[in-house]
Amino acid sequence: DSGSLTMSSGTTKSGTSGSVWVSSGDAAGAGASGSITMSSGTTGSGASGSVWVSSGDADVSGDSGAITMSSGTTKSGTSGSVWVSSGDAEGAGASGSITMSSGTTGSGASG
């Protein structure tokens, strides 16, 4: 097995646990900032690893964190595209489904 990499902030009994930021540096002038890629490795015959992006559960009365996917703003060029796609099934299998839904609500408006 190749090595695992875990980035996490610590647990707290009360208060806010630390944030985890992954970012590429700014590019001054006409340069381009670096890309960030999250992916699981390829495999010869087994299943490749899943990639999860999720906010934590909120206990009792707290709010769970939001997940935002967006491309950046541009002054004169084209802003980046946002892609959500499942992989191709080249053999007899089925390609993965894509599910997007907002949560249910007891009395307010759902997202």
Side-chain angles (χ1 to χ4, degrees), residues 47-66:
S48 67
S50 299
V51 177
W52 288 86
V53 178
S54 65
S55 63
D57 295 335
D59 196 14
V60 184
S61 61
D63 297 331
S64 68

Side-chain angles (χ1 to χ4, degrees), residues 13 46 63 66 71 76 103-104:
K13 296 288 184 183
D63 297 331
S71 61
S76 60
T104 60

Side-chain angles (χ1 to χ4, degrees), residues 9-74:
S9 62
T11 303
T12 181
K13 296 288 184 183
S14 63
T16 304
S17 68
S19 298
V20 176
W21 286 85
V22 178
S23 64
S24 63
D26 296 335
S33 65
S35 298
I36 296 174
T37 302
M38 293 188 299
S39 65
S40 63
T42 58
T43 179
S45 59
S48 67
S50 299
V51 177
W52 288 86
V53 178
S54 65
S55 63
D57 295 335
D59 196 14
V60 184
S61 61
D63 297 331
S64 68
I67 296 174
T68 303
M69 292 189 296
S70 64
S71 61
T73 304
T74 180

